[in-house]
Amino acid sequence: MTERNAGIIGMGHSYPEGILTNADLEKIVETSDEWITSRTGIKQRHKAAEHEYTSMFGTAAAKQALERAGLEPTDVQLIVCATTTPDQIMPSTGALIQAQLGATNAAGMDIFAACSGFLYGLTMVESMIRTRQIEHALVIGAEVLTKYVDYTDRGTCVIFGDGAGAAVLGPVEKGKGILATKIRSDGRYEEQLYAPGGGTKLGTTHETIDEGLHFFKMKGNELFKVAVRSMAEISAEMLAQAGLTVDDVDIVIPHQANQRITDAVASRLGVDETKVYSNIAELGNTSSASIPIAMDECIQSGRIKEGSTVLLTAFGGGVTWGGTVLKF
Ligand code: UT7
C-alpha cells in the first residue's frame, strides 16, 4: 500500500452574534478594560445565547468547510469534534453534528484535549488518510465556553469566548498538506486548568453545584510559563522534522490564549511578529476553536494561499500541547 499526503481542502467558521465587551465585564466583576487589554490583548469575545449550544456552531462551520471543499456531507467518512464543552455527556457532539449535517456515511466522535483538540484531530485524521483507511474527514473545534465560566471569577471570565472552526481533510499532492505533526500531554498538571465537578469522581450533587465545581478553574500564572515553553519547543521540533526553519514559514497561527503568550512564543522561536496571526482582541480564547477560526480568517483574507507554509501550535488544559506544519 503506497502512502499519500493528507491536507486541508476546505475550511469554515462560525460564532454566536452575541458580544461581551470589556466594558460589559466591568459591570459584572472587579476588573477594567485597561487590565484585560494590557494583560491579555482581549477587547471583546462572542457569547452564546441561552438557547445556543456547541453543535450548532460546529455544524455551521462544517457546512461552510464542505461547500468550500466542493463536497457533500455524505462524502466524509469521519467527523472528529474537538470540544471541552459538549452539548451533553452523551452522545458525542461529533455524532450530533453528523446528524445535523446528514453525513450518513461517517462515524462521529469527540476529542477531549482542551485547547489542543484541533491539533489532536488533525494528527489522528492525517494518519488515517495517509494510510488510506478513509478518503475525507471533518475536523472541527467547537466550544461554548461561556456556559462553563464562573462570572464571579475574574481570573477566568474575562478570557473565554465561544465559536467553532472546521476543516475538511483529504488526499493532496506530494509535498503538500501536513508535513509534520505531533501531540503531547502531561496529566500531572491537571489542577492548573480543570472543571472537577460533574464526572464520576465528584458527581453532580447539590454540593458540587453550590461550590461551583462544574466551572473552569485556572492557575493562569503557572500555566503561562508552561504554555510558552511547550509551544515554542514543539514548534521548533516540528519545523526540524519537516526539514524547515522559521524563515521558511509564511505564517504562524498559535492557539489564541493570551497576546502575551503569543508574543513570548514568537520571540522564543525568533520569528518576525508580522508573520504571527492574532485575532484575540475580537474573539478572546475560544479553546479548540481558536486555531481553525484563525486559519479560515487567513484563507479568506488571502494571508494563506496556495504554496503557503503554515505553523500551528497549541496548548491547553490537561495539560496538552501540539504542533503542526502544513503546506497549502
Ligand atoms: O487556553 C490555554 C490555557 N490557558 C492559558 O494558557 C492562560 C494562561 N494565563 C494567562 O493568560 C494569564 O495568567 C491570565 C490572563 C489568566 C492572568 O494574567 P496574569 O498576568 O498572570 O495575572 P495574575 O494571575 O498573576 O494576577 C495578577 C493580579 C492579581 O492581583 P494581586 O494578587 O497582584 O493583587 C490578580 O488578582 O491581577 C489580578 N487579576 C485581575 N485584576 C483585574 C486577575 N484577574 C484580573 C482581572 N481584572 N480580570
Side-chain angles (χ1 to χ4, degrees):
M1 180 195 67
T2 49
E3 292 197 346
R4 57 186 179 179
N5 279 29
I8 291 176
I9 58 170
M11 292 202 74
H13 74 270
S14 162
Y15 36 71
E17 277 179 20
I19 287 176
L20 189 67
T21 64
N22 291 352
D24 296 329
L25 283 164
E26 283 176 353
K27 294 178 201 133
I28 303 172
V29 278
E30 187 63 38
T31 190
S32 65
D33 174 46
E34 197 283 325
W35 191 96
I36 303 171
T37 307
S38 63
R39 294 293 185 126
T40 71
I42 301 168
K43 298 297 280 182
Q44 63 167 48
R45 63 293 289 143
H46 287 256
K47 187 175 186 298
E50 220 29 61
H51 67 278
E52 292 176 315
Y53 44 88
T54 303
S55 64
M56 293 169 70
F57 303 107
T59 298
K63 275 188 181 159
Q64 208 173 46
L66 284 166
E67 266 169 40
R68 289 176 178 157
L71 295 180
E72 296 296 326
T74 46
D75 293 328
V76 297
Q77 293 84 46
L78 182 64
I79 298 170
V80 175
C81 180
T83 185
T84 312
T85 52
D87 284 8
Q88 53 204 49
I89 262 310
M90 191 172 66
S92 70
T93 306
L96 298 171
I97 291 173
Q98 172 190 20
Q100 288 167 29
L101 288 172
T104 45
N105 296 319
M109 60 174 282
D110 285 4
I111 286 184
F112 214 49
C115 309
S116 312
F118 184 73
L119 298 195
Y120 270 60
L122 285 188
T123 303
M124 288 173 49
V125 165
E126 185 275 336
S127 68
M128 291 179 79
I129 293 172
R130 176 164 44 76
T131 57
R132 297 176 187 267
Q133 294 175 65
I134 55 171
E135 281 297 305
H136 294 107
L138 271 162
V139 179
I140 303 163
E143 306 281 5
V144 173
L145 296 154
T146 58
K147 292 197 184 183
Y148 278 89
V149 158
D150 178 357
Y151 282 94
T152 65
D153 174 12
R154 67 180 182 173
T156 53
C157 75
V158 303
I159 293 170
F160 296 110
D162 304 331
V168 178
L169 274 83
V172 295
E173 64 188 81
K174 263 207 155 356
K176 289 199 170 170
I178 296 175
L179 305 180
T181 189
K182 187 173 182 178
I183 48 178
R184 297 286 310 276
S185 74
D186 189 342
R188 289 173 300 179
Y189 290 98
E190 170 199 352
E191 290 185 8
Q192 292 206 348
L193 177 51
Y194 72 146
T200 55
K201 189 171 166 187
L202 300 180
T204 307
T205 64
H206 290 291
E207 288 74 26
T208 63
I209 289 173
D210 288 347
E211 286 172 38
L213 298 181
H214 53 296
F215 290 131
F216 291 143
K217 313 202 173 300
M218 182 166 78
K219 293 180 184 147
N221 205 298
E222 288 170 37
L223 263 188
F224 196 104
K225 295 165 213 151
V226 194
V228 172
R229 192 179 62 233
S230 308
M231 288 202 278
E233 278 176 11
I234 207 158
S235 295
E237 191 186 336
M238 287 306 96
L239 284 173
Q241 193 173 306
L244 301 173
T245 70
V246 278
D247 296 334
D248 300 313
V249 174
D250 296 300
I251 187 155
V252 180
I253 301 183
H255 163 52
Q256 308 285 305
N258 179 323
Q259 188 59 42
R260 289 188 297 132
I261 293 182
T262 294
D263 294 344
V265 171
S267 151
R268 277 207 184 200
L269 280 174
V271 61
D272 193 283
E273 65 185 36
T274 57
K275 284 187 177 179
V276 184
Y277 190 70
S278 173
N279 61 14
I280 196 162
E282 294 83 38
L283 297 182
N285 178 341
T286 58
S287 191
S288 67
S290 88
I291 289 179
I293 293 175
M295 287 177 83
D296 190 37
E297 287 180 350
C298 290
I299 293 170
Q300 296 317 312
S301 69
R303 274 194 79 174
I304 295 179
K305 43 189 181 295
E306 186 80 17
S308 294
T309 301
V310 182
L311 169 66
L312 312 175
T313 184
F315 179 85
V319 294
T320 56
W321 67 103
T324 304
V325 179
L326 299 116
K327 194 165 183 69
F328 274 78

mmCIF file of all heavy atoms in Angstrom, residues 244-262:
data_model
loop_
_atom_site.group_PDB
_atom_site.id
_atom_site.type_symbol
_atom_site.label_atom_id
_atom_site.label_comp_id
_atom_site.label_asym_id
_atom_site.label_seq_id
_atom_site.Cartn_x
_atom_site.Cartn_y
_atom_site.Cartn_z
ATOM 1 N N LEU A 244 12.506 22.235 7.774
ATOM 2 C CA LEU A 244 12.332 23.667 7.525
ATOM 3 C C LEU A 244 12.909 24.480 8.680
ATOM 4 O O LEU A 244 13.182 23.934 9.752
ATOM 5 C CB LEU A 244 10.834 23.997 7.394
ATOM 6 C CG LEU A 244 10.053 23.273 6.293
ATOM 7 C CD1 LEU A 244 8.569 23.573 6.421
ATOM 8 C CD2 LEU A 244 10.551 23.657 4.910
ATOM 9 N N THR A 245 13.064 25.784 8.442
ATOM 10 C CA THR A 245 13.439 26.711 9.523
ATOM 11 C C THR A 245 12.323 27.754 9.635
ATOM 12 O O THR A 245 11.457 27.833 8.757
ATOM 13 C CB THR A 245 14.761 27.444 9.231
ATOM 14 O OG1 THR A 245 14.521 28.364 8.167
ATOM 15 C CG2 THR A 245 15.875 26.483 8.852
ATOM 16 N N VAL A 246 12.399 28.583 10.682
ATOM 17 C CA VAL A 246 11.359 29.622 10.830
ATOM 18 C C VAL A 246 11.306 30.541 9.621
ATOM 19 O O VAL A 246 10.255 31.087 9.299
ATOM 20 C CB VAL A 246 11.523 30.486 12.109
ATOM 21 C CG1 VAL A 246 10.952 29.813 13.307
ATOM 22 C CG2 VAL A 246 12.939 30.920 12.325
ATOM 23 N N ASP A 247 12.436 30.714 8.949
ATOM 24 C CA ASP A 247 12.445 31.598 7.772
ATOM 25 C C ASP A 247 11.595 31.051 6.626
ATOM 26 O O ASP A 247 11.167 31.801 5.747
ATOM 27 C CB ASP A 247 13.888 31.816 7.282
ATOM 28 C CG ASP A 247 14.722 32.543 8.324
ATOM 29 O OD1 ASP A 247 14.116 33.283 9.135
ATOM 30 O OD2 ASP A 247 15.955 32.354 8.350
ATOM 31 N N ASP A 248 11.383 29.732 6.629
ATOM 32 C CA ASP A 248 10.557 29.132 5.563
ATOM 33 C C ASP A 248 9.061 29.295 5.828
ATOM 34 O O ASP A 248 8.239 29.017 4.958
ATOM 35 C CB ASP A 248 10.855 27.625 5.443
ATOM 36 C CG ASP A 248 12.307 27.357 5.111
ATOM 37 O OD1 ASP A 248 12.820 28.026 4.191
ATOM 38 O OD2 ASP A 248 12.926 26.493 5.769
ATOM 39 N N VAL A 249 8.713 29.698 7.057
ATOM 40 C CA VAL A 249 7.301 29.757 7.440
ATOM 41 C C VAL A 249 6.696 31.088 6.992
ATOM 42 O O VAL A 249 7.272 32.146 7.208
ATOM 43 C CB VAL A 249 7.165 29.616 8.980
ATOM 44 C CG1 VAL A 249 5.734 29.830 9.430
ATOM 45 C CG2 VAL A 249 7.672 28.246 9.427
ATOM 46 N N ASP A 250 5.531 31.008 6.330
ATOM 47 C CA ASP A 250 4.845 32.236 5.903
ATOM 48 C C ASP A 250 3.975 32.800 7.010
ATOM 49 O O ASP A 250 3.816 34.004 7.118
ATOM 50 C CB ASP A 250 3.994 31.949 4.660
ATOM 51 C CG ASP A 250 4.860 31.552 3.487
ATOM 52 O OD1 ASP A 250 5.705 32.376 3.101
ATOM 53 O OD2 ASP A 250 4.728 30.417 2.987
ATOM 54 N N ILE A 251 3.374 31.914 7.800
ATOM 55 C CA ILE A 251 2.512 32.407 8.873
ATOM 56 C C ILE A 251 2.475 31.414 10.032
ATOM 57 O O ILE A 251 2.434 30.194 9.816
ATOM 58 C CB ILE A 251 1.093 32.750 8.342
ATOM 59 C CG1 ILE A 251 0.259 33.428 9.429
ATOM 60 C CG2 ILE A 251 0.371 31.556 7.783
ATOM 61 C CD1 ILE A 251 -0.847 34.306 8.892
ATOM 62 N N VAL A 252 2.539 31.967 11.235
ATOM 63 C CA VAL A 252 2.426 31.158 12.452
ATOM 64 C C VAL A 252 1.049 31.428 13.051
ATOM 65 O O VAL A 252 0.682 32.595 13.262
ATOM 66 C CB VAL A 252 3.504 31.547 13.490
ATOM 67 C CG1 VAL A 252 3.378 30.686 14.748
ATOM 68 C CG2 VAL A 252 4.905 31.433 12.897
ATOM 69 N N ILE A 253 0.296 30.355 13.307
ATOM 70 C CA ILE A 253 -1.006 30.519 13.960
ATOM 71 C C ILE A 253 -0.971 29.762 15.274
ATOM 72 O O ILE A 253 -1.152 28.542 15.315
ATOM 73 C CB ILE A 253 -2.159 30.037 13.050
ATOM 74 C CG1 ILE A 253 -2.143 30.826 11.740
ATOM 75 C CG2 ILE A 253 -3.504 30.207 13.771
ATOM 76 C CD1 ILE A 253 -3.265 30.501 10.787
ATOM 77 N N PRO A 254 -0.714 30.478 16.381
ATOM 78 C CA PRO A 254 -0.741 29.820 17.675
ATOM 79 C C PRO A 254 -2.165 29.821 18.227
ATOM 80 O O PRO A 254 -2.970 30.680 17.855
ATOM 81 C CB PRO A 254 0.159 30.709 18.542
ATOM 82 C CG PRO A 254 0.105 32.050 17.906
ATOM 83 C CD PRO A 254 -0.334 31.900 16.483
ATOM 84 N N HIS A 255 -2.448 28.883 19.116
ATOM 85 C CA HIS A 255 -3.698 28.955 19.871
ATOM 86 C C HIS A 255 -3.784 30.337 20.504
ATOM 87 O O HIS A 255 -2.814 30.820 21.079
ATOM 88 C CB HIS A 255 -3.722 27.851 20.942
ATOM 89 C CG HIS A 255 -4.750 28.098 21.998
ATOM 90 N ND1 HIS A 255 -6.068 28.352 21.684
ATOM 91 C CD2 HIS A 255 -4.667 28.162 23.356
ATOM 92 C CE1 HIS A 255 -6.734 28.565 22.807
ATOM 93 N NE2 HIS A 255 -5.915 28.453 23.830
ATOM 94 N N GLN A 256 -4.952 30.947 20.396
ATOM 95 C CA GLN A 256 -5.121 32.319 20.894
ATOM 96 C C GLN A 256 -5.490 32.268 22.375
ATOM 97 O O GLN A 256 -6.663 32.287 22.749
ATOM 98 C CB GLN A 256 -6.218 33.031 20.089
ATOM 99 C CG GLN A 256 -6.019 32.954 18.573
ATOM 100 C CD GLN A 256 -4.931 33.867 18.062
ATOM 101 O OE1 GLN A 256 -4.966 35.059 18.307
ATOM 102 N NE2 GLN A 256 -3.958 33.319 17.344
ATOM 103 N N ALA A 257 -4.460 32.144 23.229
ATOM 104 C CA ALA A 257 -4.687 32.015 24.673
ATOM 105 C C ALA A 257 -4.585 33.375 25.341
ATOM 106 O O ALA A 257 -5.369 33.709 26.237
ATOM 107 C CB ALA A 257 -3.670 31.074 25.294
ATOM 108 N N ASN A 258 -3.593 34.143 24.925
ATOM 109 C CA ASN A 258 -3.274 35.419 25.560
ATOM 110 C C ASN A 258 -2.238 36.073 24.640
ATOM 111 O O ASN A 258 -1.290 35.409 24.218
ATOM 112 C CB ASN A 258 -2.664 35.131 26.953
ATOM 113 C CG ASN A 258 -2.277 36.394 27.697
ATOM 114 O OD1 ASN A 258 -1.806 37.368 27.119
ATOM 115 N ND2 ASN A 258 -2.459 36.365 29.005
ATOM 116 N N GLN A 259 -2.414 37.351 24.311
ATOM 117 C CA GLN A 259 -1.487 38.014 23.384
ATOM 118 C C GLN A 259 -0.051 37.957 23.911
ATOM 119 O O GLN A 259 0.893 37.817 23.143
ATOM 120 C CB GLN A 259 -1.908 39.475 23.151
ATOM 121 C CG GLN A 259 -1.122 40.169 22.057
ATOM 122 C CD GLN A 259 -1.258 39.473 20.704
ATOM 123 O OE1 GLN A 259 -2.350 39.059 20.324
ATOM 124 N NE2 GLN A 259 -0.150 39.290 19.986
ATOM 125 N N ARG A 260 0.099 38.001 25.232
ATOM 126 C CA ARG A 260 1.465 37.973 25.791
ATOM 127 C C ARG A 260 2.096 36.585 25.603
ATOM 128 O O ARG A 260 3.308 36.459 25.457
ATOM 129 C CB ARG A 260 1.444 38.360 27.272
ATOM 130 C CG ARG A 260 1.136 39.852 27.484
ATOM 131 C CD ARG A 260 1.317 40.257 28.931
ATOM 132 N NE ARG A 260 0.405 39.573 29.803
ATOM 133 C CZ ARG A 260 0.742 38.956 30.944
ATOM 134 N NH1 ARG A 260 1.985 38.954 31.366
ATOM 135 N NH2 ARG A 260 -0.171 38.351 31.669
ATOM 136 N N ILE A 261 1.263 35.522 25.619
ATOM 137 C CA ILE A 261 1.793 34.166 25.353
ATOM 138 C C ILE A 261 2.228 34.078 23.885
ATOM 139 O O ILE A 261 3.324 33.609 23.568
ATOM 140 C CB ILE A 261 0.736 33.083 25.678
ATOM 141 C CG1 ILE A 261 0.455 33.051 27.188
ATOM 142 C CG2 ILE A 261 1.181 31.700 25.174
ATOM 143 C CD1 ILE A 261 -0.538 31.998 27.650
ATOM 144 N N THR A 262 1.377 34.578 22.990
ATOM 145 C CA THR A 262 1.699 34.579 21.552
ATOM 146 C C THR A 262 3.017 35.323 21.307
ATOM 147 O O THR A 262 3.896 34.827 20.599
ATOM 148 C CB THR A 262 0.544 35.238 20.768
ATOM 149 O OG1 THR A 262 -0.599 34.394 20.889
ATOM 150 C CG2 THR A 262 0.876 35.441 19.310
#
